[in-house]
Amino acid sequence: MKITDIELHAVGVPRHTGFVNKHVIVRIHSDEGTVGIGEMSDFSHLPRYSIDLNDLGKGLKSVLVGKDPFNLMKINQDLLDNFPEAMYYYEKGSFIRNGIDNALHDLCAKYLNVSVSDLLGGRVRDKLKVCYPIFRHRFMEEVEENMDVVRKRYEQGFDVFRLYAGKNLDADEAFLAKVKEEFGSRVKIKSYDFSHLLNWKDALRAVKRLSRYDLGLEMIESPAPRNDFEGLYQIRLKTDYPISEHVWSFKQQHEMIKKDAVDIFNISPIFIGGLTSAKKAAYAAEVVNKECVLGTTQELSIGTAAMAHLGCSLTNIHYTSDPTGPELYTGDVVKNKIIYKDGYLHAPDKSIKGLGVEIDDVLLEKYRVPDLSWGEVTVHQLQDRTSDSKE
């Protein structure tokens, strides 16, 4: 089997907050007639530059057309040569590699008449416990807005939440107090995610302040600036909670291992460049006896399906994971949206081959956008995914 063509389709899908995220839907065609689909998720994030989709398509065709899609390792190396790691976890090159690698896995699995999880080594589970994100408080009036999110999502079956913290600690504290008063032990806050906004000393002070409202806290996420391995190590020594950090390059993961800087590696295909690389990162964590959590940039159903296959095939995930993207958007581009039930992400039925989701061309046209350009947005909007900066 040989790759014959690549299609890239830019879409803009609104979140419930009103913020429109742009993604690229990938189709890879083969001379056998089998087509693989993938997703380059969430180009609407920092760093603030966009990709020329026409130029990207031509470049990818020059790399991929004529290749055997089963040569996953060689193709991933070629992609890495063309779109290299940059030690930044929202690096656009990782998004590009991820979408292509997803589609290659879908293509190969469909050709073999198996699911992607079979291609990854088989499942050890069929569902993953996940949390719903509570986005960062910048103003006190957002506390009640986020309480409404908890109430609504709790009714839908989500009982674990992740708090993006550290921008307004008074509001964070008020929110946690209200959650504890209203829900008690029925709701769990699995992590405080500081998203590299604080240095480790400020993050430690924030943890001490917020931990009095401990609602089943599982971990502290990203409590130091990006690539501050010493800071991660210092805060890990000084708190009883496990420290988690995203993996966005193998060099960065190596430095975290060498420094013994984290307890839990946050692994997501979008940040490390695809299922092939994410599996390698998870295996590296297992070798050094570290746990993993499945992270997210909040993908649509295609990207989330790939993550579900990965997460259900890994043996070192024992914490609540993060992928709830399809629940954050008002729409999607597939016929069979990924399923959440009782706070779990369910992997697609193994009887549906490949990733287990199918593009709906009507929806693809509905959400199609001409390019990945930015428009007028602020840094706060890009960080917090709101339609209004309130400033």
Side-chain angles (χ1 to χ4, degrees), residues 129-135 137 145-164 175-176 179-180 183-193 214-219 221 298 320-322 324 327-328 343:
K129 186 67 175 177
V130 292
C131 61
Y132 196 88
I134 301 298
F135 291 104
H137 298 101
E145 294 174 13
N146 278 332
M147 284 300 299
D148 286 340
V149 173
V150 174
R151 295 179 188 115
K152 177 182 177 181
R153 296 302 175 174
Y154 180 76
E155 289 299 317
Q156 294 179 342
F158 290 99
D159 58 356
V160 182
F161 296 85
R162 172 167 57 112
L163 176 62
Y164 285 91
F175 169 77
L176 291 170
V179 171
K180 189 165 188 175
F183 291 94
S185 61
R186 291 178 295 146
V187 158
K188 181 177 178 179
I189 303 295
K190 81 115 178 183
S191 65
Y192 304 146
D193 187 342
D214 185 343
L215 290 158
L217 197 65
E218 295 182 16
M219 68 191 74
E221 298 190 72
Q298 308 304 353
T320 305
S321 287
D322 299 335
T324 51
E327 292 296 307
L328 272 68

Side-chain angles (χ1 to χ4, degrees), residues 34 48 93 99 121 125 162 267 280 288 332 354:
T34 307
R48 189 170 173 161
R125 61 182 72 84
R162 172 167 57 112
I267 293 174
K280 288 166 63 177
V288 295
D332 214 312

Side-chain angles (χ1 to χ4, degrees), residues 35-37 102-119 123 305-306 309 348-357:
V35 179
I37 63 171
N102 285 355
L104 290 171
H105 276 80
D106 184 55
L107 174 60
C108 293
K110 285 174 177 173
Y111 184 78
L112 295 174
N113 202 34
V114 299
S115 74
V116 165
S117 52
D118 290 327
L119 200 64
R123 294 184 184 179
H309 284 287
D349 194 307
K350 287 183 66 175
S351 65
I352 309 174
K353 307 311 177 187
L355 287 173
V357 290

Side-chain angles (χ1 to χ4, degrees), residues 127-142:
K127 60 184 181 179
L128 287 165
K129 186 67 175 177
V130 292
C131 61
Y132 196 88
I134 301 298
F135 291 104
R136 210 172 319 277
H137 298 101
R138 288 180 294 115
F139 307 99
M140 190 62 73
E141 58 262 34
E142 292 172 324

Side-chain angles (χ1 to χ4, degrees), residues 166-235:
K167 201 75 169 180
N168 184 329
L169 287 175
D170 291 337
D172 292 340
E173 190 170 11
F175 169 77
L176 291 170
K178 283 180 175 288
V179 171
K180 189 165 188 175
E181 179 183 5
E182 184 169 335
F183 291 94
S185 61
R186 291 178 295 146
V187 158
K188 181 177 178 179
I189 303 295
K190 81 115 178 183
S191 65
Y192 304 146
D193 187 342
F194 293 104
S195 302
H196 316 109
L197 297 179
L198 303 180
N199 63 56
W200 73 266
K201 289 184 179 180
D202 288 339
L204 181 62
R205 281 189 282 268
V207 170
K208 289 179 178 178
R209 178 175 173 181
L210 300 179
S211 61
R212 60 181 289 205
Y213 302 100
D214 185 343
L215 290 158
L217 197 65
E218 295 182 16
M219 68 191 74
I220 307 300
E221 298 190 72
S222 304
R226 287 183 294 271
N227 300 317
D228 180 6
F229 310 115
E230 177 65 22
L232 289 172
Y233 175 71
Q234 289 297 329
I235 194 170

